[in-house]
Amino acid sequence: IGSEKDITLSTGETLTLQIWGENHDDLTAGGKARFTFGLKHLMAGTRRMNATHTNVGGFAGSELYGWLNGDLFGLLPPDLQAIIKPVDKKTSAGNQSATINTNSMKMFLPSEVEVFGATTYSAVGEGTQYPIFVDAANRIKKLANGTGAISKWWERSPFMGDKNCFCEIRNGNADAYGASHLNGICFAFCI
């Protein structure tokens, strides 16, 4: 846990990956993913979750999910693309629903419980805490792979209090924010 490897996107942006968990995520094909990798810090640019303030449709129905699994996946080194395995991730349906959907994902964001080990603003049932986040210092992330300013960053969890927001991390703490605002991106995947 915490071992690092740098990758360079086809755009030239270098990102540092960390092992977040071992035998933690369920492979869509069955069994456990050997490793879950996620960013140590944040990408250079910020992104919105959706064009409007809505969490209806949850993370799998969001603009950001489409970008992660389309545009961003295509920017990864080809040898890495070839070994990423789809995993089943649990996420609330959004729109203040406690219904938990399971979706097969190649690229994803962590849920609130996967970061904090408990829920404050999200529905119960979106996974279990990744070992990397037991150390609260790992929840504070900077833009531009650690060379920029400390930034808020998105989680995939819809906020249970309304149909407008998704959960985020702000200065290492749990929070929620309108879906059309710009936040840092800390993606993850499994091999």
Side-chain angles (χ1 to χ4, degrees):
I1 305 300
S3 294
E4 298 178 6
K5 177 172 179 53
D6 285 349
I7 61 167
T8 302
L9 303 181
S10 61
T11 59
E13 182 176 358
T14 298
L15 299 168
T16 302
L17 301 172
Q18 282 183 314
I19 294 177
W20 284 4
E22 187 174 355
N23 299 313
H24 186 97
D25 284 298
D26 295 322
L27 292 167
T28 301
K32 292 285 189 182
R34 181 72 172 110
F35 295 109
T36 302
F37 283 91
L39 293 185
K40 180 176 182 178
H41 281 290
L42 304 173
M43 299 185 72
T46 56
R47 295 193 75 86
R48 64 192 187 196
M49 189 68 76
N50 281 313
T52 61
H53 282 336
T54 182
N55 65 28
V56 176
F59 176 62
S62 73
E63 175 186 300
L64 183 54
Y65 176 78
W67 178 80
L68 286 171
N69 285 279
D71 295 347
L72 179 63
F73 185 80
L75 299 176
L76 296 174
D79 57 340
L80 180 57
Q81 290 180 37
I83 62 171
I84 292 176
K85 305 241 188 295
V87 290
D88 289 341
K89 300 304 291 180
K90 298 180 183 305
T91 314
S92 152
N95 200 21
Q96 297 180 285
S97 172
T99 299
I100 300 295
N101 293 329
T102 301
N103 299 96
S104 178
M105 300 182 183
K106 285 186 176 181
M107 305 284 284
F108 55 90
L109 303 178
S111 68
E112 183 183 46
V113 72
E114 287 172 343
V115 174
F116 294 99
T119 57
T120 301
Y121 299 109
S122 63
V124 173
E126 295 184 333
T128 58
Q129 188 177 36
Y130 285 112
I132 194 77
F133 293 119
V134 171
D135 181 350
N138 290 327
R139 302 173 195 159
I140 298 171
K141 297 190 179 287
K142 295 179 179 179
L143 294 170
N145 202 37
T147 64
I150 291 173
S151 177
K152 301 174 291 178
W153 51 285
W154 287 121
E155 296 166 310
R156 73 173 185 274
S157 304
F159 175 49
M160 285 294 291
D162 64 34
K163 63 181 183 178
N164 303 317
C165 300
F166 278 84
C167 293
E168 67 173 9
I169 292 95
R170 182 187 298 252
N171 295 319
N173 299 308
D175 203 354
Y177 208 40
S180 69
H181 289 292
L182 298 174
N183 270 354
I185 302 301
C186 182
F187 64 81
F189 58 84
C190 295
I191 61 169

